[in-house]
Amino acid sequence: MIRIGMMVRIISPEYVRGMEGRIEARENGGRWLVRLEQNPLNHEPESIILSLEESDFEVMEQ
């Protein structure tokens, strides 16, 4: 069962594959908001939040 605060590894989309993030919230419609631990686009401190299907990531911790 996925819970807010869990660490996940991104499977898709390709440009963030393998990166780690934390579950922030569940959206209406079943998608999950995942905040990346690192910004893949530059070295700025701003974080990126992705809206992902459950099949787009794997849970790293239970």
Side-chain angles (χ1 to χ4, degrees), residues 17-44:
R17 179 181 302 235
M19 297 197 75
E20 297 176 1
R22 189 169 300 276
I23 300 289
E24 292 283 316
R26 183 148 193 187
E27 295 183 284
N28 292 337
R31 294 175 70 91
W32 294 91
L33 295 178
V34 176
R35 182 182 302 272
L36 295 182
E37 292 292 297
Q38 297 178 349
N39 187 330
L41 304 177
N42 55 39
H43 298 288
E44 299 300 318

Side-chain angles (χ1 to χ4, degrees), residues 5 7 9-10 12-15 21 29 32 37 41 56-57 62:
M7 288 295 297
R9 182 171 292 113
I10 309 299
S12 181
E14 182 67 33
Y15 72 95
W32 294 91
E37 292 292 297
L41 304 177
D56 292 337
F57 59 86
Q62 296 293 326

